[in-house]
Amino acid sequence: MPGIEIERKFLVDRLPDALPAGQRIEQGYLAVADDGVEVRIRRRDGAATLTIKSGPAQVRTEEELAIDPRRFASLWPLTEGRRLTKTRHVVPLPDGLAAELDVYHDDHDGLLVAEVEFPSLDASEHFAAPDWLGPEVTGDARYANQQLALRGVPAPRR
Amino acid sequence: MPGIEIERKFLVDRLPDALPAGQRIEQGYLAVADDGVEVRIRRRDGAATLTIKSGPAQVRTEEELAIDPRRFASLWPLTEGRRLTKTRHVVPLPDGLAAELDVYHDDHDGLLVAEVEFPSLDASEHFAAPDWLGPEVTGDARYANQQLALRGVPAPRR
């Protein structure tokens, strides 16, 4: 199924013992429309992009434009109050899999989220999660980056 | 005062007798944030742009990026319900001035707005408006393009 991503998302109970070096990601939302259309800028490893994504009820559209450092610096202040900063560590897992482990900073300090992408539905269903992974939050909108940036870290469930 | 634009905006009572050919402008808002940051796309004379503007309480920022026709076509559906289409006629006025007369279409059919830019505050204050110009709406947020696109034509004042 080309274009379909099979991913599962988990909270992380503790950092794994061998944590590879990470890459810092700064991400801010210029604007999010009522119907969920979002426009964000992101800087990662010195490269900056502006990305537009459709809302949940629309045909899925995503467009990414490279922007130069001057533009990023000019636009960043416009994302005030709608930002997140995280360090992404790519942690190898058995069976050729990998977890993208995001360690959030600043307003989201303490939040650890990992995402694993699978080559097939079968691989996804038979995934043996390592013990450092916590509760699954796949599909939980509160942990989408847009919501984290706009609303902060969700209150713990009881 | 570099960077300061001195402009006055008017409703238009009737089209002037000699109306130069106009240029069609299609403009749609991808998203507008609560603080007024807006991201819009615009197509005019075959050229498309994506523009980000700061909100009213922020230091004024405006960044414009050229986008190719494929990107415009991909993003246009995301502006559904937040669009305006108009034909802009540039009408010469005495003293080297000109009015940008916008004839709105579709949802804004019937709306006519003209904007005149002046070389000095003095010229602005001594402007003798031609008789086809109607009530002044300079600074009236309801006639800003963002508000027209989001809320439609303002109800007539009584």
Side-chain angles (χ1 to χ4, degrees), chain A residues 30-33 35 37 39 50 52-54 58 61 63-65 67 70-71 74-75 78 82, chain B residues 30-33 35 37 39 50 52-54 58 61 63-65 67 70-71 74-75 78 82:
Chain A
L30 292 165
V32 178
D35 56 8
V37 173
V39 186
L50 181 149
I52 305 106
K53 288 189 190 184
S54 50
Q58 299 165 322
T61 299
E63 293 287 343
E64 187 170 284
L65 292 84
I67 56 174
R70 186 205 59 77
R71 275 225 162 91
S74 163
L75 292 173
L78 275 52
R82 298 187 286 269
Chain B
L30 292 165
V32 178
D35 57 7
V37 172
V39 185
L50 182 149
I52 305 105
K53 289 189 190 184
S54 50
Q58 298 165 323
T61 300
E63 293 286 344
E64 186 169 286
L65 294 83
I67 56 174
R70 186 205 59 76
R71 275 222 162 94
S74 164
L75 293 173
L78 275 51
R82 297 187 287 268

Side-chain angles (χ1 to χ4, degrees), chain B residues 9-90:
Chain B
K9 189 187 278 192
F10 302 87
L11 299 182
V12 173
D13 281 340
R14 59 172 181 82
L15 291 177
D17 296 328
L19 189 66
Q23 202 170 48
R24 193 176 173 85
I25 298 174
E26 294 159 290
Q27 181 164 322
Y29 290 80
L30 292 165
V32 178
D34 289 342
D35 57 7
V37 172
E38 61 174 53
V39 185
R40 70 159 201 228
I41 54 174
R42 180 188 252 197
R43 184 163 59 184
R44 179 179 180 170
D45 201 21
T49 49
L50 182 149
T51 304
I52 305 105
K53 289 189 190 184
S54 50
Q58 298 165 323
V59 174
R60 190 177 146 79
T61 300
E62 180 169 338
E63 293 286 344
E64 186 169 286
L65 294 83
I67 56 174
D68 60 44
R70 186 205 59 76
R71 275 222 162 94
F72 184 88
S74 164
L75 293 173
W76 186 249
L78 275 51
T79 66
E80 170 90 54
R82 297 187 287 268
R83 292 174 186 163
L84 49 86
T85 307
K86 59 190 180 184
T87 301
R88 174 164 292 176
H89 306 266
V90 180

Side-chain angles (χ1 to χ4, degrees), chain A residues 26-33 36-42 50-53 72 75-86 104 108 143-151, chain B residues 31-35 37-39 52 58:
Chain A
E26 293 160 291
Q27 181 163 322
Y29 290 79
L30 292 165
V32 178
V37 173
E38 62 173 54
V39 186
R40 70 159 200 228
I41 54 174
R42 180 187 251 198
L50 181 149
T51 303
I52 305 106
K53 288 189 190 184
F72 183 87
L75 292 173
W76 185 249
L78 275 52
T79 65
E80 170 91 53
R82 298 187 286 269
R83 293 176 186 161
L84 49 87
T85 307
K86 59 191 180 183
Y104 286 81
H108 305 85
Y143 290 95
N145 276 310
Q146 183 195 107
Q147 291 302 301
L148 288 173
L150 295 179
R151 302 191 181 175
Chain B
V32 178
D34 289 342
D35 57 7
V37 172
E38 61 174 53
V39 185
I52 305 105
Q58 298 165 323

